[in-house]
Amino acid sequence: MFGLMDGFLKNDSISLQKDILDHVEFTVARSRFNFDDFEAYQALAHSVRDRLIERWHDTHQYFKKKDPKRIYFLSLEFLMGRSLTNSVINLGIQDQYADALTQLGFDFEVLAEQEGDAALGNGGLARLAACQMDSLATLDYPAWGYGLRYQYGLFRQIIVDGFQHEQPDFWLNFGNPWEIERVHVSYPVKFYGTLKEEVLNGKKCKIWIPGESVEAVAYDNPIPGYGTRNAINLRLWAAKPSDQYDMESYTTGDYINAIVSRQKAETISNVLYPDDRSYQGKELRLKQQYFFVSASLQDIIRRFKDLHRNFDEFPEKVALQINDTHPSISIAEVMRMLVDEEHLDWSKAWDIACRIFSVTIHAVQPEGLEKIPVDLLGNVLPRHLEIIYEINHRLMEELKKSFGQDYDKLSRMSIIEEGAVKSIRMANLSLACCHTVNGVSRVHLETLKTRVFKDFYELWPQKFQCKTNGVTQRRWIVVSNPSLCSIISKWLGTEAWIRNVDLIAGLREYAKDPDLHTEWKNMKRVNKMRLAEYIETLTSVKVSLDAMFDVQIKRIHEYKRQLLNILGIIHRYDCIKNMDESDKRRVVPRVCIIGGKAAPGYEVAKKIIKLCHAVADKVNNDPDVGDLLKVVFIPDYNVSVAELVIPGSDLSQHLSTAGHEASGTGCMKFLMNGCLLLATADGSAVEIAEEIGAENMFLFGAKVDEVPALREKGTTLKGSLQFARVVRMVRDGYFGFKDYFKSLCDNVEDGGDFYLLGYDFASYLEAQAAADRAFVDQEKWTQMSILSTAGSGKFSSDRTIEEYAEQSWGIEPCKCPF
Ligand code: 26Q
């Protein structure tokens, strides 16, 4: 057992140097006298990986010994970004590594830039999963993450002539030092086939005879906690051809075709689906969902059976969290495993399923909830379809007891949706089974209760819980804004806030302190300088550091209203054009930064990106405007771009039409970094206003409960004259591409303006004007900025995870003692 107690590897800077050089020579296979930055990064990453593995082994051995109830977090997406800096910080050996590298003639930060992003997710939901893994590890919870190891992550966005193009993300091409391939941890996953009726122990039952088997191979990704030795596991499954399958084809001599068809198995984990609801009902998507769910559940049940025989104990040892309805086929799979394989009674199995599952919904609109056509499910997973029918039959019987013959209600609550395409409502399946249904902000939960799942809420009010999202301060302050991190620790006199973020409220006391103001402004300026350099390298636009850096970075979507932002920019431009020189002197200079990806099939979103470029072209090249206004589109927005942009922002925009953003988590990252928010009263912004005081942000626009009535009024609602004027400029071809932009203009005028841009425009401009006025008074601005950071404590994923642990999962920390 040598090394177990103290850790086998040494962490002083001399040992680290030796270790890095060994990895250069033996892992990367380069001469230790001649290697470049990328090779140095690889060697460094392997040296960090060794240390991660050490803790991860200890943690899992300890979990095994203690056998606590574990939480299994199932998600089709994890947006981890880069791992290097985060790992060395969480391991607590950042300074030692920095020293070791300096002595080898390298710079830690330069090497960190060599790493590509792990982008196995689309946006909010996926980054939330990553933040929650960090919190689970840091808070010592016995947790596992399960997902898919896509070979291609989210597409790379390139911009050609202002238009978005998509390119594949070959993220594994140069190897991935952060994962451990586990060829011996693999499970067969079955698809297709037929059902056969048989009599077993005098009972009629259905036997599934699958038609295809694909092997799921585990890739483990250690997730280190901060300030603890615990490192938990994110297990991602890759599809490999199964050896059990198709031996027949070899013996029949069709060797070449047999090999080719084997290779097809791998397509299951090939590519991440971009978030586009029009992809619903696709066979490959369903196969991805079932593939990772089936492998994960086999793994979980195997682990349970290592120590237990009786499934009565299962709910005491296992909690399953499903991240949106994407993994909800797991409910049918648990039933299949318990009934068909473990031979439990249906009612016993259902009781177990109801005690282990909880779900978090991230959608607001009923249209955002997944449906799977019955024909598709029946073909790919015939036994699961039958199980879902049985669950539904029993649900309907139960509902009849409460609602009698109210067939409208019964059909709304049914798991089966009748209609042109008969479908399975995955959300209703989740609601029928899960003991807890979580919303991601207070307003979101309210919408779920009163609109989306009204019937279910009336029946089972106790299931509905609010778990307002949070993000991890480790990634979003400590890793991405080290200067702010030092300032906070210095003024609080402790680093304890990194694990206990409530302490950050202590900064309020110094919100007016001139010395803190000086340090705060310097920090912001240095971060802005870094961002300005990045902007210039990428777009050749030079920006002034005295300007307000005004940022909107997130997925491009109509409801997020990047178009409102651009129309606001056009208004600002129009005003500047009509000013004389003395008026111009009073203008607060702005750099308007927009970034984000549009789903490849989402035409409107792609037009918005083009409009942004068209406006930027005009504005940035207009000598009348100069430094008063610059417009920048940052291409290929991802986690590491966010880490650079957020610390360098003054103002950030969150413009969703009220009632459309379930929570929003970007705003929390800006808040922590002391950027002021300009936002609608939507999602988590409502709770942010409560924490920091509405007077410290710029709120505008229609409220959640006003929106339906405003929509009723439809086209009779006209926007202001100012709105008409800016839309007219686009219509008239002031920015070119007149025909191409016509439909964007139609949507917000004749088309009914579903997202209420016209209605909110005047109030938006007022909020923008208020931001300008505040920026002029730099002392006031800095004070608001400090109060934003100081009020961000609630929005840590540590708080969210503690709420989940106590209120949904019933788990306790399990801290590795050595
Ligand atoms: C669905 C079907 C087929 C293919 C893809 C999808 C798909 C994929 C991803 C549908 C939705 C998503 C992602 C949704 C998402 O990110 N939602 C966001 O979740 C955040 C975390 O809770 C919230 O803060 C955001 O408000 C919410 O939009």
Side-chain angles (χ1 to χ4, degrees):
M1 297 302 274
F2 173 68
L4 201 65
M5 299 300 286
D6 308 300
F8 183 68
L9 296 163
K10 296 217 178 88
N11 292 329
D12 60 283
S13 106
I14 303 286
S15 308
L16 294 179
Q17 279 178 62
K18 180 178 177 316
D19 218 36
I20 293 168
L21 289 176
D22 282 352
H23 276 296
V24 167
E25 191 110 32
F26 304 118
T27 309
V28 186
R30 292 289 297 173
S31 151
R32 58 175 67 210
F33 304 107
N34 180 21
F35 54 98
D36 63 18
D37 281 352
F38 182 67
E39 288 152 354
Y41 155 72
Q42 286 182 305
L44 169 62
H46 274 95
S47 142
V48 177
R49 166 197 160 111
D50 293 344
R51 283 153 182 82
L52 285 172
I53 291 177
E54 194 175 49
R55 296 195 183 192
W56 175 76
H57 276 146
D58 294 350
T59 307
H60 284 94
Q61 228 165 31
Y62 190 67
F63 285 175
K64 196 163 182 183
K65 186 171 120 202
K66 288 280 164 181
D67 190 32
K69 180 174 185 180
R70 291 168 172 91
I71 170 67
Y72 295 105
F73 187 91
L74 306 189
S75 178
L76 223 59
E77 303 189 3
F78 288 89
L79 202 42
M80 305 304 285
R82 290 174 174 159
S83 286
L84 177 65
T85 311
N86 187 243
S87 299
V88 297
I89 287 177
N90 279 17
L91 292 172
I93 44 180
Q94 189 188 22
D95 293 342
Q96 293 91 318
Y97 265 117
D99 280 355
L101 285 166
T102 310
Q103 280 155 32
L104 292 172
F106 288 92
D107 179 15
F108 186 92
E109 264 109 70
V110 172
L111 299 195
E113 287 293 317
Q114 299 289 319
E115 183 177 356
D117 272 33
L120 306 186
N122 273 284
L125 165 152
R127 181 56 226 177
L128 185 77
C131 283
Q132 293 186 341
M133 289 301 291
D134 179 81
S135 290
L136 283 164
T138 299
L139 299 172
D140 300 310
Y141 285 114
W144 282 69
Y146 278 106
L148 260 182
R149 180 182 179 269
Y150 301 103
Q151 233 151 6
Y152 298 91
L154 186 61
F155 65 87
R156 299 262 171 89
Q157 177 192 55
I158 57 157
I159 304 290
V160 181
D161 296 332
F163 291 98
Q164 169 178 301
H165 292 257
E166 300 86 31
Q167 289 193 341
D169 167 44
F170 300 107
W171 76 293
L172 294 169
N173 263 12
F174 298 100
N176 174 13
W178 306 109
E179 68 183 7
I180 301 143
E181 186 183 20
R182 293 242 170 268
V183 279
H184 296 298
V185 181
S186 80
Y187 300 95
V189 178
K190 313 279 169 66
F191 298 96
Y192 306 109
T194 50
L195 295 179
K196 207 172 84 187
E197 206 154 300
E198 267 187 18
V199 179
L200 232 150
N201 301 334
K203 271 201 287 184
K204 261 202 216 158
C205 55
K206 290 280 179 66
I207 308 286
W208 178 24
I209 307 178
E212 185 184 300
S213 178
V214 177
E215 206 63 18
V217 179
Y219 285 75
D220 287 345
N221 299 259
I223 312 287
Y226 178 92
T228 168
R229 273 189 69 79
N230 278 33
I232 58 173
N233 195 15
L234 170 59
R235 178 161 279 181
L236 302 178
W237 302 103
K240 295 274 151 75
S242 168
D243 285 336
Q244 297 176 8
Y245 160 66
D246 229 18
M247 293 310 280
E248 192 97 333
S249 339
Y250 294 93
T251 48
T252 55
D254 193 5
Y255 172 72
I256 297 294
N257 274 328
I259 299 273
V260 170
S261 78
R262 266 170 62 85
Q263 281 338 101
K264 279 197 195 136
E266 294 186 16
T267 55
I268 292 183
S269 54
N270 255 359
V271 56
L272 166 78
Y273 273 94
D275 168 13
D276 182 340
R277 316 289 142 93
S278 61
Y279 278 110
Q280 287 208 14
K282 288 281 181 287
E283 179 166 323
L284 180 58
R285 169 91 178 162
L286 173 62
K287 287 181 79 172
Q288 288 186 339
Q289 293 176 341
Y290 180 64
F291 173 77
F292 108 88
V293 154
S294 164
S296 308
L297 288 170
Q298 290 182 64
D299 202 37
I300 292 164
I301 289 185
R302 179 198 47 77
R303 191 168 305 114
F304 173 77
K305 281 179 152 183
D306 276 351
L307 297 175
H308 306 270
R309 283 162 172 264
N310 188 343
F311 273 90
D312 286 340
E313 294 164 27
F314 201 58
E316 269 103 68
K317 293 293 165 192
V318 171
L320 283 166
Q321 169 68 26
I322 53 180
N323 202 19
D324 215 285
T325 59
H326 311 159
S328 54
I329 193 69
S330 53
I331 294 167
E333 176 65 358
V334 161
M335 288 303 287
R336 191 193 65 78
M337 291 173 90
L338 295 184
V339 173
D340 293 2
E341 291 179 1
E342 303 297 335
H343 307 294
L344 264 62
D345 275 356
W346 179 279
S347 51
K348 175 123 218 144
W350 183 245
D351 174 62
I352 291 173
C354 294
R355 287 165 62 202
I356 58 178
F357 278 107
S358 63
V359 63
T360 299
I361 302 289
H362 301 266
V364 180
Q365 301 302 327
E367 311 84 70
L369 303 171
E370 262 188 310
K371 287 182 217 157
I372 302 179
V374 163
D375 289 347
L376 175 65
L377 190 65
N379 180 37
V380 179
L381 300 169
R383 178 64 182 135
H384 296 78
L385 177 62
E386 207 182 58
I387 287 171
I388 291 172
Y389 271 129
E390 181 63 28
I391 295 173
N392 195 48
H393 171 71
R394 289 169 187 248
L395 172 69
M396 290 295 114
E397 291 305 304
E398 191 185 333
L399 295 184
K400 277 182 204 157
K401 284 187 214 146
S402 307
F403 306 121
Q405 311 296 311
D406 185 345
Y407 288 113
D408 276 350
K409 200 188 261 280
L410 293 185
S411 88
R412 285 197 304 268
M413 296 177 80
S414 171
I415 299 171
I416 321 291
E417 183 176 86
E418 303 291 341
V421 182
K422 195 171 173 181
S423 304
I424 305 297
R425 296 172 175 142
M426 299 312 269
N428 291 23
L429 173 63
S430 309
L431 274 133
C433 178
C434 293
H435 55 75
T436 318
V437 180
N438 304 291
V440 290
S441 72
R442 230 173 43 222
V443 252
H444 178 233
L445 183 70
E446 223 28 57
T447 313
L448 295 183
K449 286 188 239 194
T450 55
R451 291 198 289 123
V452 190
F453 300 129
K454 186 167 182 287
D455 299 310
F456 284 101
Y457 176 64
E458 281 163 12
L459 183 65
W460 295 316
Q462 75 287 356
K463 284 194 181 191
F464 287 75
Q465 289 191 7
C466 176
K467 303 276 166 42
T468 298
N469 285 162
V471 300
T472 166
Q473 67 272 24
R474 266 85 56 191
R475 168 77 54 155
W476 297 107
I477 301 179
V478 186
V479 172
S480 62
N481 198 345
S483 331
L484 175 60
C485 178
S486 315
I487 293 177
I488 299 173
S489 300
K490 177 182 155 191
W491 285 79
L492 296 180
T494 171
E495 289 186 344
W497 62 276
I498 301 174
R499 274 180 67 93
N500 176 8
V501 81
D502 290 341
L503 297 173
I504 212 168
L507 283 178
R508 284 198 180 114
E509 209 182 302
Y510 311 108
K512 290 188 176 163
D513 191 305
D515 292 339
L516 177 58
H517 277 218
T518 309
E519 290 178 30
W520 202 268
K521 283 191 275 193
N522 282 343
M523 170 270 295
K524 184 59 69 183
R525 200 162 177 95
V526 171
N527 290 334
K528 282 173 80 168
M529 207 156 11
R530 219 163 44 121
L531 175 53
E533 278 165 18
Y534 184 73
I535 290 174
E536 192 176 344
T537 315
L538 245 67
T539 66
S540 309
V541 178
K542 272 196 166 44
V543 297
S544 155
L545 296 184
D546 296 324
M548 183 201 297
F549 281 19
D550 155 353
V551 177
Q552 189 183 19
I553 41 171
K554 48 183 83 221
R555 286 299 289 263
I556 311 287
H557 208 293
E558 285 162 279
Y559 84 79
K560 295 182 188 279
R561 298 200 294 192
Q562 281 90 356
L563 185 54
L564 183 63
N565 187 356
I566 300 170
L567 293 174
I569 293 170
I570 297 176
H571 173 77
R572 184 173 288 268
Y573 173 61
D574 188 38
C575 291
I576 295 173
K577 289 291 281 179
N578 291 308
M579 279 177 185
D580 59 27
E581 286 308 311
S582 79
D583 283 341
K584 279 190 187 171
R585 256 173 258 132
R586 282 194 293 275
V587 172
V588 177
R590 286 243 190 175
V591 179
C592 298
I593 299 164
I594 299 180
K597 296 179 182 177
Y602 192 172
E603 270 310 311
V604 182
K606 289 185 145 177
K607 287 193 181 191
I608 292 171
I609 291 179
K610 174 62 188 169
L611 179 60
C612 188
H613 285 91
V615 172
D617 261 358
K618 185 94 185 164
V619 171
N620 298 346
N621 296 311
D622 189 332
D624 292 347
V625 175
D627 270 349
L628 294 185
L629 182 61
K630 288 277 178 261
V631 182
V632 175
F633 187 91
I634 297 197
D636 203 36
Y637 174 59
N638 61 18
V639 176
S640 45
V641 173
E643 287 176 43
L644 177 82
V645 173
I646 294 170
S649 311
D650 294 305
L651 181 77
S652 81
Q653 301 203 39
H654 308 278
L655 311 180
S656 56
T657 314
H660 283 262
E661 192 70 273
S663 159
T665 44
C667 51
M668 300 169 181
K669 300 161 197 168
F670 283 101
L671 186 75
M672 283 182 175
N673 281 277
C675 310
L676 304 198
L677 306 189
L678 192 151
T680 48
D682 197 19
S684 56
V686 177
E687 288 160 70
I688 291 179
E690 283 172 8
E691 293 297 304
I692 68 168
E695 70 285 3
N696 288 312
M697 55 198 282
F698 308 100
L699 285 165
F700 78 98
K703 301 277 186 299
V704 176
D705 19 311
E706 296 164 359
V707 168
L710 290 168
R711 267 201 191 125
E712 287 275 293
K713 293 190 187 158
T715 44
T716 60
L717 250 187
K718 278 267 178 279
S720 60
L721 282 176
Q722 288 163 320
F723 185 68
R725 183 175 164 85
V726 293
V727 177
R728 168 75 28 215
M729 286 169 77
V730 180
R731 262 196 205 291
D732 287 351
Y734 197 88
F735 304 97
F737 301 88
K738 196 171 155 181
D739 295 340
Y740 184 69
F741 293 139
K742 179 174 181 302
S743 63
L744 286 184
C745 301
D746 290 346
N747 284 350
V748 296
E749 289 189 328
D750 325 325
D753 193 16
F754 185 76
Y755 293 105
L756 302 177
L757 279 78
Y759 181 82
D760 276 349
F761 196 62
S763 139
Y764 175 62
L765 294 183
E766 270 169 41
Q768 285 286 14
D772 281 334
R773 287 193 297 276
F775 197 72
V776 174
D777 181 352
Q778 276 290 300
E779 291 318 304
K780 176 85 180 79
W781 184 276
T782 306
Q783 188 185 324
M784 289 167 83
S785 168
I786 295 168
L787 290 173
S788 296
T789 305
S792 67
K794 175 176 172 185
F795 305 99
S796 165
S797 44
D798 295 349
R799 190 257 320 137
T800 317
I801 284 300
E802 265 166 356
E803 288 177 7
Y804 273 105
E806 281 164 27
Q807 300 161 14
S808 296
W809 304 330
I811 55 162
E812 301 281 339
C814 182
K815 189 175 170 70
C816 194
F818 28 81

